[in-house]
Amino acid sequence: MNKPFAPEGQGAFELPALPGEAYPLAAAVPPIFQTSLFTFETYEDMAAVYAGRSHQLIYSRGDNPTVMEFERAVAALEGAEAGRAFSSGMGAISATVLALVSAGDRIVTVRNVYSDAYRLFELMLSRFGVTVDYVDGTDAAAVAAALPGARLLYLESPTSLMFELQDIAALARAARAHGVITAIDNSWATPLYQQPIAHGIDLVIHAASKYLGGHSDTVAGVVVGSAELVGRINAQSYAYLGAKLSPFEAWLLLRGLKTLPLRMPRHMASGQAIAARLTAHPDVERVLHPAYSTHPGRTTLAGFGGVFSFEVSDAIDVPAFVDALRLIRLGVSWGGPESLVVPALAPLQLQKANCFSRFGISPRLVRLNVGIEEVEPLWADIAQALEHARR
Ligand SMILES: *Cc1c(COP(=O)(O)O)cnc(C)c1O
């Protein structure tokens, strides 16, 4: 089912064991194939593989069995034909975009797309003659108006920091009508709560560093889609950019994936409980959580991640608030078991130097990653920190 990387002329290599079937020595979990290369018995064996007459793994920058197991697992979860894993979410994003666009092409994306995807577009692709239009993704008509002549529609629903939703089913239809390939960053919702391929999206990308891994111990990425499009990524960028996933990290991700259906409901319930209390708090102006949205993009979400933002009132000193938190630690990233907070103020101060140009982000915005701790101690921590930070 998967179509892994193969040099020119070589067919797809099919691993005999599918997930859940027998591993070597009847091991319950897949072994870590910690090897950079795979050897050939004879010259004729090697020549046959290069000529495409037979199939064998060659080198782990291309295919590695432990990594392939992870690729197959995510493809299966997203209802995709094939997948390709990377050493980071940005590895997946950059290899996907670079496989699909050429000089003179235009990308349509949403405002408030993930910060480093924005930097990839602004600082790198612009140097290679690719232009990018940033549209209000909540407005399906505005997105549709930008589509004629575009090569790629790159979505993220909800968006980073602002949690703006897109009507991905409607946008996928509009893109298809204009012959535009669609890709979405589905890291927040995970395949448990949003399955974009079922709604007509072509490629689904995950920062596996977040919920798929789920333990704050791995940086990784993955893209899944049709065998044809993943084959294009394999042929056009994957092996040459070289951001391959390590076998050990693939193994950690396979381990993390097993508890995804247990972790996500917990993140969701705790996130909603904290969001509800913040909504009622006098020092909170607004809570940016898709649970409070009536946007059509809500309908493709079967559940919510535990990451959302809120804006504190003028009465709250943001640095004092984050410094007063004891249980919730200050740190980027999200999706792990421990709760974390990021004030938008810090990246906003770097706006120019750091290429952090964003739409409508308030310096009083704080992003919260609700982990799997008990809700009461988390809420007590937030409440005491707000109290402490009131000027
Ligand atoms: C973290 C993140 C990424 C990038 O993933 P890395 O593994 O850090 O490269 C992409 N998209 C979103 C929404 C993210 O939060």
Side-chain angles (χ1 to χ4, degrees), residues 88-91 93 114 156 160 185 187 207-210 219-221 334:
S88 68
M90 280 312 301
I93 293 169
Y114 176 67
E156 188 186 322
S160 291
D185 183 330
S187 307
S209 323
K210 314 293 168 49
V219 174
W334 49 272

Side-chain angles (χ1 to χ4, degrees), residues 100-290:
L100 300 176
V101 301
S102 306
D105 283 345
R106 186 166 56 85
I107 298 170
V108 176
T109 191
V110 291
R111 63 190 194 188
N112 297 319
V113 70
Y114 176 67
S115 57
D116 275 336
Y118 178 74
R119 291 183 191 106
L120 170 74
F121 297 150
E122 290 301 298
L123 301 178
M124 186 182 172
L125 290 185
S126 62
R127 290 191 284 115
F128 294 90
V130 175
T131 56
V132 183
D133 282 347
Y134 301 88
V135 293
D136 175 358
T138 63
D139 182 349
V143 181
L147 288 175
R151 173 73 59 201
L152 172 68
L153 174 63
Y154 184 90
L155 304 172
E156 188 186 322
S157 186
T159 54
S160 291
L161 285 177
M162 295 297 281
F163 298 89
E164 295 164 315
L165 294 172
Q166 295 119 59
D167 186 348
I168 62 171
L171 297 185
R173 277 194 302 275
R176 196 147 291 191
H178 289 286
V180 179
I181 297 171
T182 47
I184 188 169
D185 183 330
N186 200 35
S187 307
W188 184 89
T190 80
L192 212 61
Y193 292 153
Q194 183 163 255
Q195 300 203 307
I197 287 174
H199 298 290
I201 298 286
D202 295 316
L203 289 163
V204 178
I205 296 172
H206 284 276
S209 323
K210 314 293 168 49
Y211 283 136
L212 297 191
H215 290 76
S216 309
D217 54 10
T218 314
V219 174
V222 61
V223 59
V224 301
S226 67
E228 197 266 318
L229 282 176
V230 174
R232 258 159 84 176
I233 294 164
N234 286 333
Q236 297 292 329
S237 62
Y238 164 72
Y240 321 120
L241 292 177
K244 65 99 188 159
L245 183 63
S246 79
F248 177 63
E249 290 186 302
W251 185 87
L252 279 176
L253 292 165
L254 284 163
R255 178 180 158 127
L257 272 185
K258 289 180 189 176
T259 55
L260 186 71
L262 298 179
R263 291 183 282 110
M264 291 311 295
R266 174 78 170 203
H267 287 296
M268 171 171 158
S270 300
Q272 283 186 276
I274 303 267
R277 294 190 194 187
L278 285 168
T279 304
H281 196 283
D283 290 327
V284 174
E285 299 261 284
R286 61 174 181 149
V287 173
L288 306 176
H289 188 305

